[in-house]
Amino acid sequence: MENTVLETQQLTKRYGAITAVNQLSLSIPRGSIYGILGPNGSGKTTTLGMCLSTIRSTSGSYKWFGQAPSTAVLKRIGAILEGPLFYPYLSGRNNLRVVAKIKDVPESRIPEVLDIVGLTERMNSAFKTYSLGMKQRLAIAAALLADPEVLILDEPTNGLDPQGIAEIRQLIREIGEGETTVLLASHLLDEVEKVCDHVAVLKKGSLLYSGEVDKITKNEAQVEMVAADVNQLKAVVEAMPNFQSLRQADNRILVSFGPDPDPAAINAHLHNQGIHLSFLATRKSRLEEQFLELIRNS
């Protein structure tokens, strides 16, 4: 079985003088929850549109499951690129019947996808009575009807309240725990960090980083320390082995010592130097900090 579900090579889209996507090369591993992260206008939706053959690329290429794009290949993919579009007066179940007929898939799958998205109890309610979160879950159910190998979601939590956001994120995680690969475009750092295991960071159509979410931060663990005399603390810390950098905020400092710092050894060393800490903790750098660093340096 092909281990890569989607591979792009130098994929580019220009609109006149504007380059929406610039020579983008990505490899999406099977079984991942892969986030395409970037601010609005970074080329996320355009990239997905090209890979679904709804937007013609200017140059470059892409392959699904190691094959050139075709109708048969695209049938193996479920996608939601816009807001949920259903008949407001039909029930959730009857809306899915319409979708099943369009997609030429058996209606027998409808109860299963309704159960997956948690809408079984409301399947006979009219779509117009659904909350925004329920509408989005029904859209995901529709995308899952054909039992796709890949599920593509573009900004799936846009406009939802906190409860709706939590429900959709949990649903995405549950889908990703199965055999379905999830490709998620989002401008929300928190969403990608909490849901995805892989990420590609885009800015103005260009790729800044791609890889595992953990690896973007794993070498960025910092040690947070507080002492009565912060200047003395800084002087001793800066002379320590493996010291890399230091940032001060009031009477506390954040220190980078490289990967896997040993808090106990650090505390013992400072104690031997006559410094008694009132607080010490390791803090893993969040994706947000690394993302902002990437944006600043690009």
Side-chain angles (χ1 to χ4, degrees), residues 89-165:
Y89 293 97
L90 288 183
S91 67
R93 180 170 58 180
N94 286 338
N95 267 298
L96 291 183
R97 283 174 172 163
V98 173
V99 175
K101 186 168 290 188
I102 293 171
K103 293 188 174 185
D104 194 25
V105 296
E107 291 186 9
S108 59
R109 174 127 170 101
I110 291 175
E112 182 180 350
V113 297
L114 284 169
D115 183 60
I116 290 172
V117 302
L119 286 177
T120 300
E121 292 184 0
R122 292 294 303 274
M123 65 181 178
N124 293 318
S125 300
F127 178 75
K128 67 176 183 177
T129 68
Y130 284 7
S131 67
L132 285 176
M134 293 170 65
K135 290 176 179 178
Q136 187 69 342
R137 282 189 275 151
L138 188 67
I140 293 174
L144 293 173
L145 266 177
D147 196 15
E149 295 175 50
V150 179
L151 176 63
I152 296 177
L153 303 171
D154 187 13
E155 303 283 5
T157 59
N158 262 6
L160 301 184
D161 60 21
Q163 181 179 346
I165 290 171

Side-chain angles (χ1 to χ4, degrees), residues 225-283:
M225 299 179 241
V226 177
D229 189 337
V230 69
N231 291 325
Q232 181 189 12
L233 173 62
K234 286 167 59 179
V236 173
V237 165
E238 288 172 351
M240 290 177 64
N242 301 324
F243 169 80
Q244 292 184 348
S245 63
L246 180 151
R247 181 159 53 92
Q248 180 178 349
D250 298 324
N251 68 330
R252 70 181 58 221
I253 61 173
L254 283 171
V255 187
S256 295
F257 288 105
D260 302 321
D262 184 346
I266 293 169
N267 189 46
H269 177 83
L270 293 172
H271 181 79
N272 291 336
Q273 298 295 317
I275 296 177
H276 304 287
L277 298 175
S278 58
F279 180 85
L280 182 147
T282 55
R283 185 168 71 88

Side-chain angles (χ1 to χ4, degrees), residues 19 21 48 67 101 134 146 163 189 196 223 243 257 264 276:
T19 301
V21 177
L48 296 180
Q67 303 174 42
K101 186 168 290 188
M134 293 170 65
Q163 181 179 346
L189 294 150
C196 301
V223 180
F243 169 80
F257 288 105
H276 304 287

Side-chain angles (χ1 to χ4, degrees), residues 13 15 45-57 62 74 79 81:
K13 179 61 181 178
Y15 296 98
T45 300
T46 302
T47 297
L48 296 180
M50 287 190 288
C51 293
L52 290 170
S53 300
T54 60
I55 296 175
R56 185 185 296 273
S57 62
Y62 64 94
L74 291 176
L81 293 189

